[in-house]
Amino acid sequence: MTPTSASPPVRVMGVINVTPDSFSDGGRFDDLTSAILQARRLIAEGVDILDIGGESTRPGAAPVGEDQELDRVIPLIRAIRAESAIPISVDTMTPAVARAAVEAGATMWNDVSALRHAPDSLAVAADLGCEVVLMHMQGEPGTMQTEPHYDDVVGEVAAFLTARAEAAQAAGVARERIWLDPGVGFGKHMTRHNLPLLAGLDRIVALGFPVLLGVSRKSFISAIDGGNVPADQRLGGSIAGALVGAAAGVAAVRVHDVRETVQALKVWRAIAAARAPAV
Ligand code: HH2
């Protein structure tokens, strides 16, 4: 997709994991003070949305109890909201955490289970009236990378997301509040599934909902680049993925490196707009 001066810029969602074990920033922001400083830093770097998570979803991560998840995310959301109007998303599969987060000032529920994790997820999302991200995942976080299988990964992800968007609307979630996310790395073979999915992103965008894309620092970048690249050295691949998303028309990218991504998207947009015919 070639942007014009009229197309909205791709938004940048900055990740803050208040966890000891997230795959790339685990342990860095798991006390309130360092998490608040990181939020301020990402805001200064031009972030559009902050995504706050209190439970790692990496394969094999230990599940976290509801009370612990609340203790991790709610004070941070409150503290950010006390000093900024920045949109805040909460990355959780637990309806009670989403509810408390929205009460504390979050505006979006980012659910990697696409509102399937708890029996009341759909009803709570409808009741909260916030924006909701429905993400595709094959299997459960603990085991999803064991043997993922697809006959047609783009078609199956698109069909799943369509069905979840329909279920959300049937439960009372307003259509204009629904976002879709293809779930790169969630129950997908490193290259055989993630790469065709990224190459076919335009088909997910064509479903007609804003699309959020998360490729930042993910393992497939290391797999392509020799197989042994630590998470904090995957910036080049992360930016390549963000630009592929931008070209396919995603509405937002979920990233750890905000400043660099904001700059890459600005440059991409300026060049692409210069190529568009004058109107
Ligand atoms: N990826 C991660 C977590 N949440 N949410 C959405 N919507 N899309 C994603 O691609 C996505 C997500 C995994 O990344 P991270 O939060 O850095 O790691 P961890 O799950 O280990 O906390």
Side-chain angles (χ1 to χ4, degrees), residues 45-199:
E45 291 180 352
V47 82
D48 297 296
I49 311 167
L50 288 172
D51 189 41
I52 312 292
E55 178 178 44
S56 173
T57 47
R58 72 180 165 75
V64 168
E66 191 175 297
D67 287 347
Q68 193 172 19
E69 209 185 336
L70 287 166
D71 284 350
R72 288 177 177 179
V73 301
I74 301 304
L76 178 59
I77 293 172
R78 263 200 212 111
I80 297 168
R81 184 53 74 235
E83 59 183 70
S84 167
I86 191 88
I88 300 174
S89 150
V90 62
D91 187 352
T92 185
M93 297 191 284
T94 306
V97 175
R99 185 180 289 284
V102 168
E103 282 164 9
T107 46
M108 176 182 259
W109 179 2
N110 173 21
D111 185 355
V112 299
S113 83
L115 303 178
R116 292 176 303 156
H117 183 69
D120 59 341
S121 295
L122 284 164
V124 170
D127 186 44
L128 292 177
C130 60
E131 293 183 88
V132 178
V133 180
L134 305 173
M135 196 198 78
H136 176 272
M137 164 166 55
Q138 188 179 86
E140 297 291 323
T143 51
M144 65 191 177
Q145 291 307 108
T146 311
E147 264 185 43
H149 173 82
Y150 302 83
D151 293 320
D152 162 16
V153 65
V154 184
E156 288 170 48
V157 168
F160 170 91
L161 293 174
T162 302
R164 294 313 297 161
E166 281 168 4
Q169 288 173 88
V173 179
R175 189 182 200 286
E176 60 274 15
R177 299 205 185 276
I178 297 175
W179 290 62
L180 304 180
D181 184 329
V184 170
F186 283 82
K188 294 168 185 94
H189 182 274
M190 214 66 87
T191 49
R192 280 203 307 279
H193 300 144
N194 287 322
L195 299 184
L197 189 54
L198 286 165

Side-chain angles (χ1 to χ4, degrees), residues 210-250:
V211 171
L212 172 66
L213 179 69
V215 292
S216 182
R217 300 188 181 182
K218 288 199 172 161
S219 304
F220 80 96
I221 297 170
S222 172
I224 293 170
D225 191 19
N228 207 12
V229 184
D232 64 357
Q233 290 172 37
R234 298 178 189 164
L235 177 58
S238 303
I239 287 181
L243 296 184
V244 164
V250 303

